[in-house]
Amino acid sequence: MPRPVILTVDDDPGVSRAVARDLRREYGEYHRIVRADSGDAALEALREIALRGEQVAVILADQRMPRMSGVEFLERAMDLFPRARRVLLTAYADTEAAITAINVVDLDHYLLKPWDPPEEKLYPVVDQLLEAWRRTPDRPATETRIIGHRWSARSYELRDLLARNQVPFRFHLADDPEGHRLLEAAGLDGARLPVVVTGEGEALVDPSDAEVAEKAGLATHATGELYDLAVVGGGPGGLGAAVYGGSEGLRTVLVESVATGGQAGTSSRIENYLGFPDGVSGAQLTDRARRQAVKFGVEVLTTRTVTGLATHGGVRVLTFDDGSEIAAHSVVLATGVSYRTLDVPGLTELAGLGVYYGAATTEAPSCAGETVYVVGGANSAGQAAMNFSRYAERVVMLVRGPSLQASMSQYLIEQIEAVEHIEVRTCTEVVGASGDDHLEKLTLRDRNSGDEQVVDAHWLFVFIGAEPRTDWLDGVVVRDDRGFVLSGPDLPAGPDSRGPSGWEPERDPFHLETSLPGVFAVGDVRGGSVKRVASAVGEGAMAVSLVHRWLENR
């Protein structure tokens, strides 16, 4: 196996040589030391390292570099090597930049220059980071490759699956030279697409999500049959419950149908989460939480859909869509919500073909130079508009109401107003869509005048409220008329509050407990919850304390 890389980048030749010299002297036997004199050169080196299938363990970057600061470089480097530990080299005056980097790029450490002697100020830091890197669960070093059509709903679903699970991949069009070469090498004619080529060179023709996840090194099957706590759903609430459950010694498994993070994980920037004054992307925040859960021994299962919940003796049994089961003494329901679809002629057929529900962050770079339409007036729509504005020539927000004030945070409204190429069209709704193999036209209606307008459109992203994913709980726990799970004081009194096993008369339900004792609901799926990331995480933590009470008093 090639030696893991330690990369250093500094535009000062003297400093660059000194850092490389010190690192080579201490770590050169077991690591390859690579140095670069600019952010662009370092990114090019990282791309070459990735193509060779090598690994990067630690990156040290100077903050004050021309054209690209250290923080900017580290943020881009995360896309290539998310596991690499990140160090910022700073002068005393740059400590504010270091604090920013902790929020923006999940900085592991910052070093004040000079760091002499290295035996005291450099090597202990690098030793600690290398040890942390070795403990981080590994992913295949080589990239997964997808060959498909540009306007293919299934190709999009696979790209979204891998991107949200932070699995490196490349997408090739079937009629491009590289796509054609890969199909030919696999002995395929491209009649059935998409094709996924794994890092080991195995070609999978139109594979399932579970097949792709397993080949990419993600855990898809439980290692045990009985757990103290099973968490269903990997959004902020589920991750919060998993982290606290694992850290407090409960044997915990977290089950997620697509990728950890939920809707929050697709947010380009969350700016009102406590402790992140400069904001943090949903992917970065949830990746930290996932790594934290794994550190505490939590099993994280991906692409597993729970279809049933029942009581067998003193345990709760979860059934998966393939018929397999796991049992747990307690369960936390954190399945979140899904965006409602637009009931508009033409849109159903174009889902995944230019029409997307949610942020679809994998598609943002493909919108370069084009017009993007965003439907919705709440925070999720505003965050998406800001993200797409980095790529698109024009972003048009379509809002049914008279303004954004009623549904969007003020900080986000001010940001949108400051971007010249974001247009907000209020009192406007989509009433029609058309296109052959992808979205080509939208029909818009002014809700005041009734006038309609047909516009050219290739990209439509919809954020129009959400519905809970609770059909599989019908008859198992009590829900409200919209499908949200009722818990604690919100449970109706009398026989209607009883689950299949009946409610225990000697005590009232705990605050987050559902009508089925030992089963708790947190986050957006819970009736009456506050739809915020921070509150979901707090409920996840609270649920674990209630789980302890349930386990102690059964």
Side-chain angles (χ1 to χ4, degrees):
M1 292 293 291
R3 293 174 296 169
V5 170
I6 299 176
L7 182 141
T8 175
V9 52
D10 197 308
D11 65 310
D12 185 320
V15 174
S16 180
R17 284 193 297 270
V19 177
R21 179 200 64 218
D22 291 343
L23 292 173
R24 193 171 290 112
R25 184 173 61 192
E26 182 72 9
Y27 305 103
E29 183 177 358
Y30 299 106
H31 297 81
R32 188 162 73 90
I33 312 301
V34 176
R35 69 183 182 96
D37 58 8
S38 70
D40 289 330
L43 287 174
E44 183 60 30
L46 289 177
R47 294 188 188 100
E48 292 179 4
I49 292 168
L51 287 173
R52 288 196 295 265
E54 297 180 48
Q55 297 177 322
V56 176
V58 178
I59 301 174
L60 301 95
D62 181 52
Q63 169 59 14
R64 295 195 178 190
M65 295 187 293
R67 296 186 300 278
M68 186 187 303
S69 71
V71 174
E72 292 170 334
F73 162 71
L74 289 173
E75 188 167 18
R76 295 176 65 177
M78 287 177 68
D79 295 333
L80 294 167
F81 290 95
R83 287 183 61 234
R85 299 295 159 164
R86 293 170 283 278
V87 180
L88 194 67
L89 306 178
T90 68
Y92 181 77
D94 294 330
T95 53
E96 184 176 344
I99 294 172
T100 298
I102 292 172
N103 295 325
V104 175
V105 298
D106 196 12
L107 190 70
D108 294 289
H109 201 88
Y110 69 92
L111 282 172
L112 293 177
K113 297 188 290 186
W115 53 83
D116 289 333
E119 291 79 8
E120 294 181 10
K121 298 184 178 180
L122 177 63
Y123 298 155
V125 171
V126 177
D127 287 344
Q128 184 180 21
L129 296 178
L130 287 173
E131 179 60 28
W133 177 79
R134 294 186 192 101
R135 291 198 308 265
T136 303
D138 200 4
R139 296 275 175 83
T142 51
E143 286 185 322
T144 299
R145 287 159 291 179
I146 303 173
I147 304 101
H149 296 303
R150 173 66 195 88
W151 298 109
S152 161
R154 184 57 185 155
S155 293
Y156 157 69
E157 290 171 356
L158 290 175
R159 296 199 307 273
D160 189 59
L161 171 70
L162 293 178
R164 291 181 60 188
N165 281 289
Q166 300 194 353
V167 176
F169 74 94
R170 288 180 183 268
F171 176 65
H172 303 281
L173 296 175
D175 52 2
D176 280 355
E178 182 63 15
H180 179 74
R181 184 191 69 79
L182 289 170
L183 290 173
E184 191 174 61
L188 301 172
D189 58 8
R192 289 183 60 198
L193 294 175
V195 170
V196 175
V197 180
T198 70
E200 291 73 30
E202 181 182 0
L204 309 175
V205 180
D206 194 17
S208 67
D209 286 359
E211 288 179 284
V212 173
E214 188 169 1
K215 293 295 184 180
L218 301 172
T220 58
H221 292 86
T223 61
E225 296 181 353
L226 179 62
Y227 296 84
D228 297 316
L229 171 62
V231 181
V232 185
L239 285 167
V243 166
Y244 280 89
S247 68
E248 295 176 14
L250 298 178
R251 187 178 185 191
T252 303
V253 60
L254 184 149
V255 183
E256 170 54 48
S257 60
V258 181
T260 52
Q263 288 188 8
T266 66
S267 175
S268 58
R269 183 67 62 181
I270 302 170
E271 298 198 53
N272 57 356
Y273 189 73
L274 184 66
F276 292 86
D278 297 298
V280 61
S281 76
Q284 292 173 13
L285 182 64
T286 54
D287 179 60
R288 297 181 196 184
R290 183 195 60 78
R291 287 193 280 116
Q292 198 172 14
V294 170
K295 181 184 77 171
F296 289 126
V298 175
E299 286 187 42
V300 179
L301 308 183
T302 307
T303 65
R304 299 308 306 272
T305 300
V306 179
T307 58
L309 169 63
T311 298
H312 288 176
V315 299
R316 308 294 177 249
V317 176
L318 295 174
T319 303
F320 297 116
D321 53 357
D322 63 356
S324 61
E325 297 178 340
I326 60 171
H329 295 297
S330 59
V331 174
V332 169
L333 303 174
T335 50
V337 292
S338 57
Y339 287 109
R340 289 202 300 266
T341 58
L342 266 178
D343 186 14
V344 170
L347 281 189
T348 300
E349 298 80 5
L350 295 170
L353 305 174
V355 177
Y356 305 95
Y357 292 91
T361 51
T362 55
E363 301 302 288
S366 301
C367 301
E370 299 197 42
T371 297
V372 170
Y373 288 86
V374 176
V375 179
N379 279 7
S380 54
Q383 290 164 351
M386 290 296 297
N387 183 44
F388 290 126
S389 71
R390 298 165 52 198
Y391 305 93
E393 181 179 1
R394 178 168 166 254
V395 177
V396 182
M397 295 189 68
L398 306 175
V399 183
R400 286 172 55 88
S403 73
L404 297 173
Q405 305 293 332
S407 54
M408 187 177 293
S409 297
Q410 184 60 35
Y411 80 88
L412 200 48
I413 295 174
E414 293 172 357
Q415 289 183 359
I416 290 170
E417 291 174 344
V419 180
E420 292 184 358
H421 58 286
I422 295 182
E423 175 188 349
V424 180
R425 295 184 58 171
T426 58
C427 300
T428 303
E429 59 187 352
V430 177
V431 294
S434 62
D436 292 331
D437 59 350
H438 64 90
L439 177 66
E440 296 175 356
K441 302 281 186 182
L442 285 176
T443 303
L444 310 180
R445 175 190 293 159
D446 186 307
R447 301 187 72 219
N448 291 331
S449 66
D451 294 339
E452 294 187 358
Q453 175 189 14
V454 178
V455 297
D456 293 329
H458 293 159
W459 305 95
L460 178 71
F461 298 88
V462 182
F463 306 82
I464 57 167
E467 298 173 329
R469 304 167 181 171
T470 59
D471 289 347
W472 63 284
L473 292 169
D474 187 31
V476 179
V477 298
V478 175
R479 301 175 295 158
D480 66 15
D481 55 2
R482 295 183 297 164
F484 291 94
V485 177
L486 297 179
S487 62
D490 293 327
L491 286 170
D496 290 341
S497 67
R498 295 174 183 166
S501 61
W503 184 252
E504 301 177 29
E506 60 268 22
R507 70 171 177 87
D508 292 331
F510 297 129
H511 183 68
L512 300 175
E513 195 168 21
T514 70
S515 59
L516 182 59
V519 177
F520 303 83
V522 303
D524 290 357
V525 75
R526 187 178 66 83
S529 66
V530 178
K531 305 300 187 283
R532 290 290 185 270
V533 174
S535 62
V537 173
E539 289 183 6
M542 183 192 303
V544 172
S545 69
L546 300 176
V547 164
H548 283 296
R549 294 174 62 183
W550 155 251
L551 295 175
E552 292 167 359
N553 296 294
R554 284 190 306 154

